[in-house]
Coordinates of all heavy atoms in Angstrom, one line a residue:
M1 N 77.0 93.0 119.4 CA 77.3 93.8 118.2 C 76.7 95.2 118.4 O 75.5 95.3 118.8 CB 76.6 93.1 117.0 CG 76.7 93.8 115.8 SD 78.2 93.4 114.9 CE 78.1 94.3 113.5
N2 N 77.5 96.2 118.2 CA 77.0 97.5 118.4 C 76.4 98.1 117.1 O 77.0 97.9 116.0 CB 78.1 98.5 118.9 CG 78.6 98.1 120.3 OD1 77.9 97.4 121.0 ND2 79.7 98.7 120.6
H3 N 75.3 98.7 117.2 CA 74.8 99.4 116.0 C 75.2 100.8 116.0 O 75.3 101.5 117.0 CB 73.2 99.3 116.0 CG 72.7 97.9 115.9 ND1 72.8 97.1 114.8 CD2 72.2 97.0 116.9 CE1 72.3 95.9 115.0 NE2 72.0 95.8 116.3
P4 N 75.5 101.4 114.8 CA 76.0 102.8 114.8 C 74.9 103.7 115.3 O 73.7 103.7 114.9 CB 76.3 103.0 113.3 CG 75.7 101.9 112.5 CD 75.4 100.8 113.5
D5 N 75.3 104.7 116.1 CA 74.4 105.7 116.6 C 74.6 107.0 115.7 O 75.3 106.9 114.7 CB 74.6 106.0 118.1 CG 76.1 106.4 118.4 OD1 76.9 106.5 117.5 OD2 76.3 106.7 119.6
I6 N 74.1 108.1 116.2 CA 74.1 109.3 115.4 C 75.5 109.8 115.2 O 75.9 110.3 114.1 CB 73.1 110.4 116.0 CG1 73.0 111.5 115.0 CG2 73.6 110.9 117.3 CD1 72.2 111.2 113.8
I7 N 76.4 109.7 116.2 CA 77.7 110.2 116.1 C 78.5 109.3 115.1 O 79.3 109.9 114.3 CB 78.4 110.3 117.5 CG1 77.7 111.3 118.4 CG2 79.9 110.6 117.4 CD1 78.2 111.4 119.8
D8 N 78.3 108.0 115.2 CA 79.0 107.1 114.2 C 78.6 107.5 112.8 O 79.5 107.6 111.9 CB 78.6 105.7 114.5 CG 79.0 105.2 115.9 OD1 80.0 105.8 116.4 OD2 78.3 104.3 116.4
R9 N 77.3 107.7 112.6 CA 76.9 108.0 111.2 C 77.4 109.3 110.7 O 77.8 109.5 109.6 CB 75.3 107.9 111.1 CG 74.8 106.6 111.3 CD 73.3 106.6 111.3 NE 72.7 105.4 111.8 CZ 72.3 104.4 111.1 NH1 72.5 104.4 109.8 NH2 71.8 103.3 111.6
A10 N 77.4 110.3 111.6 CA 77.8 111.7 111.3 C 79.3 111.7 110.9 O 79.8 112.3 110.0 CB 77.5 112.7 112.4
A11 N 80.1 111.0 111.7 CA 81.6 110.9 111.5 C 81.8 110.2 110.1 O 82.7 110.6 109.4 CB 82.3 110.2 112.6
M12 N 81.1 109.1 109.9 CA 81.3 108.4 108.6 C 80.9 109.2 107.4 O 81.6 109.3 106.4 CB 80.6 107.1 108.6 CG 81.1 106.0 109.5 SD 80.3 104.4 109.4 CE 78.9 104.7 110.4
A13 N 79.8 109.9 107.5 CA 79.3 110.7 106.4 C 80.2 111.9 106.2 O 80.6 112.2 105.0 CB 77.9 111.2 106.7
L14 N 80.6 112.6 107.2 CA 81.5 113.8 107.1 C 82.8 113.4 106.5 O 83.3 114.1 105.6 CB 81.6 114.5 108.4 CG 82.4 115.8 108.4 CD1 81.8 116.8 107.4 CD2 82.5 116.4 109.8
S15 N 83.5 112.4 107.1 CA 84.8 112.0 106.6 C 84.7 111.5 105.1 O 85.6 111.9 104.3 CB 85.4 111.0 107.5 OG 84.7 109.8 107.4
A16 N 83.7 110.7 104.8 CA 83.6 110.2 103.4 C 83.3 111.3 102.5 O 83.8 111.4 101.4 CB 82.5 109.1 103.4
G17 N 82.4 112.3 102.9 CA 82.1 113.4 102.1 C 83.3 114.3 101.8 O 83.5 114.7 100.6
L18 N 84.1 114.6 102.8 CA 85.3 115.4 102.6 C 86.3 114.7 101.7 O 86.8 115.4 100.7 CB 85.9 115.7 103.9 CG 85.2 116.8 104.8 CD1 85.8 116.8 106.2 CD2 85.2 118.1 104.2
M19 N 86.5 113.5 101.9 CA 87.5 112.8 101.0 C 87.0 112.6 99.6 O 87.7 112.7 98.6 CB 87.8 111.4 101.6 CG 88.7 111.6 102.9 SD 89.5 110.1 103.4 CE 88.2 109.5 104.6
L20 N 85.7 112.4 99.4 CA 85.1 112.2 98.1 C 85.2 113.6 97.3 O 85.5 113.6 96.1 CB 83.7 111.7 98.1 CG 83.5 110.2 98.3 CD1 82.1 109.9 98.5 CD2 84.2 109.5 97.2
V21 N 84.9 114.7 98.0 CA 85.0 116.0 97.4 C 86.5 116.2 97.0 O 86.7 116.7 95.8 CB 84.5 117.1 98.3 CG1 84.9 118.5 97.8 CG2 83.0 117.0 98.4
G22 N 87.4 115.9 97.8 CA 88.8 116.2 97.5 C 89.4 115.3 96.4 O 90.2 115.8 95.6
I23 N 89.0 114.1 96.4 CA 89.5 113.2 95.4 C 88.7 113.1 94.1 O 89.2 113.4 93.0 CB 89.7 111.8 96.0 CG1 90.7 111.8 97.2 CG2 90.2 110.8 95.0 CD1 90.7 110.5 98.0
V24 N 87.4 112.8 94.3 CA 86.6 112.5 93.1 C 86.1 113.8 92.4 O 86.3 114.0 91.2 CB 85.4 111.6 93.5 CG1 84.5 111.3 92.3 CG2 86.0 110.2 94.0
V25 N 85.4 114.6 93.2 CA 84.7 115.8 92.6 C 85.8 116.8 92.1 O 85.7 117.2 90.9 CB 83.8 116.5 93.7 CG1 83.2 117.7 93.2 CG2 82.7 115.5 94.1
L26 N 86.7 117.2 92.9 CA 87.7 118.1 92.4 C 88.6 117.5 91.3 O 89.1 118.2 90.4 CB 88.5 118.7 93.5 CG 87.7 119.6 94.5 CD1 88.6 120.1 95.6 CD2 87.0 120.7 93.8
G27 N 88.9 116.2 91.4 CA 89.6 115.5 90.3 C 88.9 115.5 89.0 O 89.4 115.8 87.9
T28 N 87.6 115.3 89.1 CA 86.7 115.3 87.9 C 86.7 116.7 87.3 O 86.7 116.9 86.0 CB 85.3 114.8 88.2 OG1 85.4 113.5 88.7 CG2 84.4 114.8 86.9
I29 N 86.5 117.7 88.1 CA 86.5 119.1 87.6 C 87.9 119.4 87.0 O 87.9 120.1 85.9 CB 86.3 120.1 88.8 CG1 84.8 119.9 89.3 CG2 86.6 121.5 88.4 CD1 84.5 120.7 90.5
E30 N 88.9 119.0 87.5 CA 90.3 119.2 86.9 C 90.4 118.5 85.6 O 90.9 119.1 84.6 CB 91.4 118.7 87.9 CG 92.7 119.1 87.5 CD 93.0 120.6 87.7 OE1 92.4 121.2 88.7 OE2 93.7 121.2 86.9
I31 N 89.8 117.3 85.5 CA 89.9 116.6 84.2 C 89.0 117.3 83.1 O 89.4 117.4 82.0 CB 89.5 115.1 84.4 CG1 90.6 114.4 85.1 CG2 89.2 114.5 83.0 CD1 90.2 113.0 85.5
L32 N 87.8 117.7 83.5 CA 86.9 118.4 82.6 C 87.5 119.8 82.2 O 87.1 120.2 81.1 CB 85.5 118.6 83.2 CG 84.8 117.3 83.5 CD1 83.5 117.6 84.2 CD2 84.5 116.6 82.2
A33 N 88.3 120.4 83.0 CA 88.9 121.7 82.6 C 89.9 121.5 81.5 O 90.2 122.5 80.7 CB 89.6 122.3 83.8
G34 N 90.4 120.3 81.2 CA 91.3 120.0 80.1 C 92.7 120.0 80.5 O 93.1 120.3 81.6
K35 N 93.6 119.7 79.5 CA 95.0 119.7 79.7 C 95.5 121.0 80.0 O 95.0 122.0 79.5 CB 95.7 119.0 78.5 CG 95.4 117.6 78.4 CD 96.2 117.0 77.2 CE 95.8 115.5 77.2 NZ 96.5 114.8 76.1
P36 N 96.6 121.2 80.6 CA 97.5 120.2 81.2 C 97.0 119.8 82.6 O 96.3 120.5 83.3 CB 98.8 120.9 81.4 CG 98.4 122.3 81.6 CD 97.2 122.5 80.8
Y37 N 97.3 118.6 83.0 CA 96.9 118.0 84.3 C 98.0 118.2 85.4 O 98.0 117.5 86.3 CB 96.5 116.6 84.1 CG 95.5 116.3 83.1 CD1 95.7 115.5 82.0 CD2 94.2 116.9 83.3 CE1 94.7 115.3 81.1 CE2 93.2 116.6 82.3 CZ 93.5 115.8 81.3 OH 92.5 115.6 80.3
S38 N 98.9 119.1 85.2 CA 100.0 119.3 86.1 C 99.5 120.0 87.4 O 98.8 120.9 87.3 CB 101.1 120.1 85.4 OG 102.1 120.4 86.3
P39 N 100.0 119.5 88.5 CA 99.6 120.2 89.8 C 100.4 121.5 90.0 O 100.1 122.2 91.0 CB 99.9 119.1 90.8 CG 101.0 118.3 90.2 CD 100.7 118.3 88.8
V40 N 101.4 121.8 89.2 CA 102.2 123.0 89.3 C 102.0 123.8 88.1 O 101.7 123.3 87.0 CB 103.7 122.7 89.6 CG1 103.8 122.0 90.9 CG2 104.2 121.9 88.4
P41 N 102.2 125.1 88.2 CA 102.1 126.0 87.0 C 103.2 125.6 85.9 O 104.3 125.3 86.3 CB 102.4 127.4 87.5 CG 102.1 127.3 88.9 CD 102.4 125.9 89.4
I42 N 102.8 125.6 84.7 CA 103.7 125.2 83.6 C 104.2 126.5 83.0 O 103.5 127.4 82.7 CB 103.0 124.4 82.5 CG1 102.5 123.0 83.2 CG2 103.9 124.1 81.4 CD1 101.7 122.2 82.3
T43 N 105.5 126.5 82.8 CA 106.2 127.7 82.2 C 106.8 127.4 80.9 O 107.1 126.2 80.6 CB 107.3 128.3 83.2 OG1 108.2 127.2 83.4 CG2 106.7 128.7 84.5
N44 N 107.0 128.4 80.1 CA 107.7 128.2 78.8 C 109.2 128.5 79.0 O 109.6 128.7 80.1 CB 107.0 129.1 77.7 CG 107.1 130.5 78.0 OD1 107.8 131.0 78.9 ND2 106.4 131.3 77.2
D45 N 109.9 128.5 77.9 CA 111.4 128.7 78.0 C 111.7 130.1 78.5 O 112.8 130.2 79.1 CB 112.0 128.5 76.6 CG 111.9 127.0 76.2 OD1 111.9 126.2 77.1 OD2 111.9 126.8 75.0
A46 N 110.9 131.0 78.3 CA 111.1 132.4 78.8 C 110.8 132.5 80.3 O 111.1 133.6 80.9 CB 110.4 133.4 78.0
G47 N 110.2 131.6 80.9 CA 109.8 131.6 82.3 C 108.4 132.2 82.6 O 108.0 132.3 83.7
E48 N 107.6 132.4 81.5 CA 106.3 132.9 81.7 C 105.4 131.7 82.1 O 105.5 130.6 81.5 CB 105.7 133.6 80.5 CG 106.6 134.4 79.7 CD 105.9 134.9 78.4 OE1 104.8 135.6 78.6 OE2 106.3 134.6 77.4
V49 N 104.4 131.9 82.9 CA 103.5 130.9 83.3 C 102.5 130.8 82.1 O 101.8 131.8 81.8 CB 102.7 131.2 84.6 CG1 101.7 130.2 84.9 CG2 103.7 131.2 85.7
V50 N 102.4 129.6 81.5 CA 101.5 129.4 80.4 C 100.2 128.6 80.7 O 99.2 128.7 80.0 CB 102.2 128.8 79.2 CG1 103.2 129.8 78.6 CG2 102.8 127.5 79.5
A51 N 100.3 127.9 81.8 CA 99.1 127.1 82.2 C 99.2 126.8 83.7 O 100.3 126.6 84.3 CB 99.1 125.8 81.5
T52 N 98.1 126.9 84.4 CA 98.0 126.6 85.8 C 96.8 125.6 86.1 O 95.9 125.6 85.3 CB 97.7 127.9 86.7 OG1 96.5 128.5 86.2 CG2 98.9 128.9 86.5
P53 N 96.9 124.9 87.1 CA 95.7 124.0 87.4 C 94.5 124.8 87.8 O 94.6 125.9 88.4 CB 96.2 123.1 88.6 CG 97.4 123.9 89.2 CD 98.0 124.7 88.1
L54 N 93.3 124.3 87.5 CA 92.1 125.0 87.8 C 91.8 125.0 89.3 O 91.5 126.0 89.9 CB 90.9 124.3 87.1 CG 89.5 124.9 87.3 CD1 89.5 126.3 86.8 CD2 88.4 124.1 86.7
V55 N 92.1 123.8 89.9 CA 91.9 123.7 91.4 C 93.2 123.5 92.0 O 94.0 122.7 91.6 CB 91.0 122.4 91.7 CG1 90.8 122.3 93.2 CG2 89.7 122.5 91.0
D56 N 93.5 124.3 93.0 CA 94.8 124.3 93.7 C 95.0 123.0 94.4 O 94.1 122.5 95.1 CB 94.9 125.4 94.7 CG 96.2 125.6 95.3 OD1 97.2 125.2 94.7 OD2 96.3 126.2 96.4
P57 N 96.1 122.3 94.1 CA 96.4 121.0 94.8 C 96.3 121.1 96.3 O 96.0 120.1 97.0 CB 97.7 120.6 94.3 CG 98.0 121.4 93.1 CD 97.2 122.6 93.2
T58 N 96.7 122.2 96.9 CA 96.7 122.4 98.3 C 95.2 122.3 98.8 O 95.0 121.8 99.9 CB 97.2 123.8 98.7 OG1 98.5 123.9 98.1 CG2 97.4 123.9 100.2
L59 N 94.3 122.8 98.1 CA 92.9 122.7 98.4 C 92.4 121.3 98.4 O 91.7 120.8 99.4 CB 92.0 123.6 97.5 CG 90.5 123.6 97.8 CD1 90.2 124.3 99.1 CD2 89.8 124.3 96.7
R60 N 92.8 120.5 97.4 CA 92.4 119.1 97.3 C 93.0 118.4 98.5 O 92.3 117.5 99.1 CB 92.8 118.5 96.0 CG 92.1 119.1 94.8 CD 92.5 118.5 93.5 NE 92.1 117.1 93.5 CZ 92.5 116.2 92.6 NH1 93.3 116.6 91.6 NH2 92.0 115.0 92.6
T61 N 94.2 118.6 98.8 CA 94.9 117.9 99.9 C 94.2 118.3 101.2 O 94.1 117.4 102.1 CB 96.4 118.3 99.9 OG1 97.0 118.0 98.6 CG2 97.1 117.6 101.0
A62 N 93.8 119.5 101.4 CA 93.2 120.0 102.6 C 91.9 119.2 102.8 O 91.6 118.8 104.0 CB 92.9 121.5 102.6
F63 N 91.1 119.0 101.8 CA 89.8 118.3 101.9 C 90.1 116.8 102.4 O 89.5 116.3 103.3 CB 89.1 118.2 100.6 CG 88.2 119.4 100.4 CD1 88.5 120.4 99.5 CD2 87.0 119.5 101.1 CE1 87.6 121.5 99.3 CE2 86.1 120.6 100.9 CZ 86.5 121.6 100.0
V64 N 91.1 116.2 101.8 CA 91.4 114.8 102.1 C 91.9 114.7 103.6 O 91.5 113.9 104.3 CB 92.4 114.2 101.1 CG1 92.9 112.8 101.6 CG2 91.8 114.1 99.7
L65 N 92.8 115.6 103.9 CA 93.4 115.6 105.3 C 92.3 116.0 106.3 O 92.3 115.4 107.4 CB 94.5 116.6 105.4 CG 95.8 116.2 104.7 CD1 96.9 117.2 104.8 CD2 96.3 114.8 105.2
A66 N 91.3 116.8 106.0 CA 90.2 117.1 106.9 C 89.4 115.8 107.1 O 89.0 115.6 108.2 CB 89.4 118.2 106.3
G67 N 89.2 115.1 106.0 CA 88.4 113.8 106.2 C 89.2 112.8 107.1 O 88.6 112.2 107.9
I68 N 90.5 112.7 106.9 CA 91.3 111.9 107.8 C 91.3 112.4 109.2 O 91.2 111.6 110.2 CB 92.7 111.7 107.2 CG1 92.7 111.0 105.9 CG2 93.6 111.0 108.2 CD1 94.0 111.0 105.1
G69 N 91.3 113.7 109.4 CA 91.3 114.3 110.7 C 89.9 114.0 111.4 O 89.9 113.7 112.6
V70 N 88.8 114.0 110.7 CA 87.5 113.7 111.3 C 87.6 112.2 111.7 O 87.1 111.9 112.8 CB 86.4 113.9 110.3 CG1 85.1 113.3 110.7 CG2 86.2 115.4 110.0
L71 N 88.2 111.3 110.9 CA 88.2 109.9 111.3 C 89.1 109.8 112.6 O 88.8 109.0 113.5 CB 88.8 109.1 110.2 CG 87.9 108.8 109.1 CD1 88.6 108.0 108.0 CD2 86.6 108.0 109.6
G72 N 90.2 110.6 112.7 CA 91.0 110.6 113.9 C 90.3 111.0 115.1 O 90.4 110.4 116.2
L73 N 89.5 112.1 115.0 CA 88.7 112.6 116.1 C 87.7 111.6 116.5 O 87.4 111.4 117.7 CB 88.1 113.9 115.8 CG 89.0 115.1 115.6 CD1 88.2 116.3 115.1 CD2 89.7 115.4 117.0
Y74 N 87.1 110.9 115.5 CA 86.1 109.9 115.8 C 86.8 108.7 116.5 O 86.2 108.2 117.5 CB 85.4 109.4 114.5 CG 84.6 108.2 114.7 CD1 83.4 108.3 115.4 CD2 84.9 107.0 114.1 CE1 82.6 107.2 115.6 CE2 84.1 105.9 114.3 CZ 82.9 106.0 115.0 OH 82.1 104.9 115.2
A75 N 88.0 108.3 116.1 CA 88.7 107.2 116.8 C 89.0 107.6 118.2 O 88.8 106.8 119.1 CB 89.9 106.9 116.0
A76 N 89.4 108.8 118.5 CA 89.7 109.3 119.8 C 88.4 109.3 120.7 O 88.4 108.9 121.8 CB 90.3 110.7 119.8
Y77 N 87.3 109.7 120.1 CA 86.0 109.6 120.8 C 85.6 108.2 121.2 O 85.2 107.9 122.3 CB 84.9 110.2 119.9 CG 83.5 109.9 120.3 CD1 82.9 110.5 121.4 CD2 82.8 108.9 119.6 CE1 81.6 110.2 121.8 CE2 81.5 108.6 120.0 CZ 80.9 109.2 121.1 OH 79.7 108.9 121.5
R78 N 85.8 107.3 120.2 CA 85.5 105.9 120.5 C 86.4 105.3 121.6 O 86.0 104.4 122.3 CB 85.5 105.0 119.2 CG 84.5 105.4 118.2 CD 83.1 105.2 118.7 NE 82.8 103.7 118.8 CZ 81.7 103.2 119.3 NH1 80.8 104.0 119.7 NH2 81.5 102.0 119.3
I79 N 87.6 105.7 121.7 CA 88.6 105.2 122.7 C 88.1 105.7 124.1 O 88.2 105.0 125.0 CB 90.0 105.6 122.3 CG1 90.5 104.8 121.1 CG2 90.9 105.4 123.5 CD1 91.8 105.2 120.6
V80 N 87.7 107.0 124.1 CA 87.4 107.6 125.4 C 86.1 107.1 126.0 O 85.9 106.9 127.2 CB 87.4 109.1 125.3 CG1 86.9 109.8 126.5 CG2 88.8 109.6 125.0
T81 N 85.1 106.9 125.1 CA 83.7 106.6 125.6 C 83.7 105.1 125.9 O 84.2 104.3 125.2 CB 82.6 106.9 124.6 OG1 82.9 106.2 123.3 CG2 82.5 108.4 124.3
P82 N 83.0 104.7 127.0 CA 82.9 103.3 127.4 C 82.0 102.6 126.5 O 81.0 103.1 125.9 CB 82.4 103.3 128.8 CG 81.7 104.6 128.9 CD 82.4 105.6 128.0
M83 N 82.2 101.3 126.3 CA 81.4 100.4 125.5 C 80.1 100.1 126.3 O 80.2 99.9 127.5 CB 82.1 99.1 125.2 CG 83.3 99.2 124.3 SD 82.9 99.6 122.6 CE 82.2 98.1 122.1
P84 N 78.9 100.1 125.7 CA 77.7 99.8 126.4 C 77.7 98.3 126.8 O 78.2 97.5 126.1 CB 76.6 100.2 125.4 CG 77.2 100.1 124.1 CD 78.7 100.5 124.3
E85 N 77.0 98.0 127.9 CA 76.9 96.6 128.3 C 75.9 95.9 127.5 O 74.9 96.5 127.1 CB 76.4 96.6 129.8 CG 77.4 97.2 130.8 CD 78.5 96.2 131.1 OE1 78.3 95.0 131.0 OE2 79.6 96.6 131.4
E86 N 76.2 94.7 127.1 CA 75.2 93.9 126.4 C 74.1 93.4 127.3 O 74.4 92.8 128.3 CB 75.9 92.7 125.7 CG 77.0 93.1 124.7 CD 76.6 92.7 123.3 OE1 75.5 92.1 123.1 OE2 77.3 93.1 122.4
T87 N 72.9 93.7 127.0 CA 71.8 93.3 127.8 C 70.9 92.3 127.0 O 70.1 92.7 126.2 CB 70.9 94.5 128.3 OG1 70.5 95.2 127.1 CG2 71.7 95.4 129.2
T88 N 71.3 91.1 127.2 CA 70.5 90.0 126.5 C 69.8 89.1 127.6 O 70.5 88.7 128.5 CB 71.4 89.2 125.6 OG1 72.4 88.6 126.4 CG2 71.9 90.0 124.5
D89 N 68.6 88.9 127.4 CA 67.9 88.0 128.3 C 68.1 86.6 127.9 O 67.7 86.2 126.8 CB 66.4 88.4 128.4 CG 66.1 89.8 128.9 OD1 67.0 90.2 129.7 OD2 65.2 90.4 128.5
R90 N 68.7 85.8 128.7 CA 68.9 84.4 128.4 C 68.1 83.5 129.3 O 68.2 83.7 130.6 CB 70.4 84.1 128.5 CG 71.3 84.8 127.5 CD 72.7 84.4 127.7 NE 73.5 85.3 126.8 CZ 74.4 84.8 126.0 NH1 74.7 83.5 126.0 NH2 75.1 85.6 125.2
A91 N 67.3 82.8 128.7 CA 66.5 81.9 129.5 C 67.3 80.6 129.9 O 68.1 80.1 129.0 CB 65.3 81.5 128.8
G92 N 67.2 80.2 131.1 CA 67.9 79.0 131.5 C 67.3 77.7 130.8 O 66.1 77.5 130.9
V93 N 68.2 77.0 130.2 CA 67.8 75.8 129.5 C 68.5 74.6 130.2 O 69.7 74.6 130.4 CB 68.1 75.8 128.0 CG1 67.7 74.5 127.4 CG2 67.5 77.0 127.4
T94 N 67.7 73.6 130.7 CA 68.3 72.5 131.3 C 68.9 71.5 130.3 O 68.3 71.3 129.2 CB 67.3 71.8 132.2 OG1 66.2 71.4 131.4 CG2 66.8 72.7 133.3
A95 N 70.0 71.0 130.6 CA 70.6 70.0 129.7 C 70.1 68.6 129.9 O 69.7 68.3 131.1 CB 72.2 70.1 129.8
D96 N 70.1 67.8 128.9 CA 69.6 66.5 129.1 C 70.7 65.6 129.6 O 71.8 65.7 129.5 CB 69.1 65.9 127.8 CG 67.8 66.5 127.3 OD1 67.1 67.0 128.2 OD2 67.6 66.6 126.1

């Protein structure tokens, strides 16, 4: 069983942090900003923009995709690096 090293922990923390910011934090800010919750600008019948989202959906998507990208880079790192050999000292036990 491999225990996570510093690169494992950094990749997990960075990817989780980016995705949480993109989904939870910016989503909560958008909810607290109030209605409308539309990801696109809302126009009236005359075509004037009457409401826009507080946080651009492209920014939120970029945070989530960056988190997924970090996980992809981490997966590539794990594929390229060799697995460490298990060094366990086993004492010889005679069978009855």
Side-chain angles (χ1 to χ4, degrees):
M1 175 88 180
N2 292 347
H3 296 288
D5 60 359
I6 189 73
I7 294 176
D8 298 334
R9 292 177 195 267
M12 288 186 280
L14 182 60
S15 65
L18 286 169
M19 287 191 271
L20 281 174
V21 166
I23 297 169
V24 177
V25 174
L26 294 179
T28 303
I29 290 171
E30 192 69 36
I31 288 172
L32 293 175
K35 289 186 178 180
Y37 301 120
S38 174
V40 295
I42 297 176
T43 58
N44 61 11
D45 292 334
E48 320 175 62
V49 174
V50 293
T52 59
L54 180 67
V55 179
D56 187 23
T58 308
L59 179 66
R60 292 181 68 187
T61 304
F63 272 105
V64 174
L65 289 178
I68 293 171
V70 168
L71 285 178
L73 290 173
Y74 171 67
Y77 163 77
R78 292 299 287 177
I79 289 172
V80 172
T81 57
M83 296 285 291
E85 295 282 332
E86 297 249 353
T87 56
T88 56
D89 295 331
R90 296 181 185 227
V93 177
T94 57
D96 289 333

